[in-house]
Amino acid sequence: NTKITQSPRYLILGRANKSLECEQHLGHNAMYWYKQSAEKPPELMFLYNLKQLIRNETVPSRFIPECPDSSKLLLHISAVDPEDSAVYFCASSPGAPNTGQLYFGEGSKLTVL
Amino acid sequence: QQQVRQSSQSLTVWEGETAILNCSYENSAFDYFPWYQQFPGEGPALLIAIRSVSDKKEDGRFTIFFNKREKNLSLHIKDSQPGDSATYFCAASDSNYQLIWGSGTKLIIKP
């Protein structure tokens, strides 16, 4: 799926700060960050619609989202914890509240040492 | 409380058979039910979906059967192939920005 690109694809961190980036080329209005741990379903972290944050799940404050424009999404992570090791997926949909038709990127795999 | 439940954590069928993956839900307000397919190392991909006003949705080898009264649905994969081996997630959404995911069923197709 090259229509939603994420970078970096792999990330190994100690207790450092890093940002994940996502860009979608689908013309969608809604963008999401999901966290997926091994053998689990994706868990919603944040949902933006038309650049407005409309869902902010219970997520540690070290995760800060940013939506600079309707096609881009960032996730700033500070002082990561080992429990943060997971794959972080960016997704988009034509619009919220129609949140069932998601298109996912390839994910950014975060490994915390 | 698990609002969307997939009864099998894993399922193995022989190539050519019909794989049947089951899902149930609790919230009557759910009105859209997508199934996502996920291969290792990739993001989930929307496979097929059904709205609560329908009882069946077919797309090629994939069919959803939906029972609103019983609050359950199933995904049938006809003529299953080794390339169908993946994890399948049942999900449900309402109009309140919610998409609730089941825990997933890992499907293995044996050649």
Side-chain angles (χ1 to χ4, degrees):
Chain A
N1 180 4
T2 57
K3 296 181 179 174
I4 301 180
T5 56
Q6 290 187 239
S7 64
R9 291 294 315 281
Y10 299 93
L11 196 57
I12 299 174
L13 289 180
R15 288 186 64 80
N17 301 340
K18 191 65 179 177
S19 296
L20 307 182
E21 299 183 7
C22 172
E23 185 168 12
Q24 56 100 355
H25 307 277
L26 297 166
H28 288 167
N29 291 328
M31 294 190 75
Y32 310 69
W33 280 115
Y34 273 90
K35 174 185 179 182
Q36 188 175 32
S37 302
E39 310 296 327
K40 295 275 181 69
E43 298 172 60
L44 179 65
M45 300 175 74
F46 304 103
L47 161 57
Y48 279 85
N49 191 44
L50 297 169
K51 294 177 58 180
Q52 299 298 312
L53 182 64
I54 59 172
R55 277 196 80 96
N56 183 357
E57 304 301 290
T58 304
V59 174
S61 58
R62 59 181 176 274
F63 291 91
I64 299 173
E66 181 185 354
C67 188
D69 65 58
S70 58
S71 66
K72 289 183 182 166
L73 200 56
L74 306 173
L75 184 63
H76 306 293
I77 314 172
S78 58
V80 289
D81 188 90
E83 70 179 26
D84 299 333
S85 293
V87 181
Y88 292 84
F89 287 104
C90 173
S92 68
S93 67
N98 182 12
T99 56
Q101 298 175 358
L102 299 177
Y103 295 78
F104 283 83
E106 295 170 310
S108 294
K109 185 173 183 178
L110 172 62
T111 302
V112 180
L113 303 175
Chain B
Q1 183 190 12
Q2 212 174 350
Q3 292 197 59
V4 176
R5 186 176 294 112
Q6 293 183 247
S7 54
S8 301
Q9 194 172 7
S10 66
L11 176 67
T12 300
V13 301
W14 293 102
E15 183 177 0
E17 291 183 338
T18 296
I20 300 174
L21 290 75
N22 295 308
C23 179
S24 62
Y25 64 97
E26 296 181 2
N27 189 343
S28 301
F30 291 147
D31 58 6
Y32 181 74
F33 300 86
W35 284 86
Y36 284 85
Q37 178 189 58
Q38 186 174 26
F39 296 107
E42 298 183 12
L46 180 60
L47 180 65
I48 186 172
I50 192 167
R51 298 204 176 273
S52 58
V53 293
S54 302
D55 56 15
K56 182 180 175 182
K57 178 75 176 291
E58 192 169 352
D59 184 357
R61 296 186 296 111
F62 301 92
T63 302
I64 299 174
F65 293 93
F66 180 73
N67 186 325
K68 189 171 183 176
R69 188 172 59 86
E70 299 291 329
K71 293 185 186 170
N72 60 47
L73 60 158
S74 59
L75 173 68
H76 292 227
I77 306 175
K78 274 192 309 191
D79 187 25
S80 55
Q81 300 163 10
D84 296 329
S85 296
T87 298
Y88 292 82
F89 292 100
C90 172
S93 73
D94 58 19
S95 58
N96 195 30
Y97 310 99
Q98 294 248 54
L99 180 65
I100 308 299
W101 295 73
S103 55
T105 297
K106 186 173 183 178
L107 177 65
I108 299 169
I109 309 297
K110 284 191 168 180

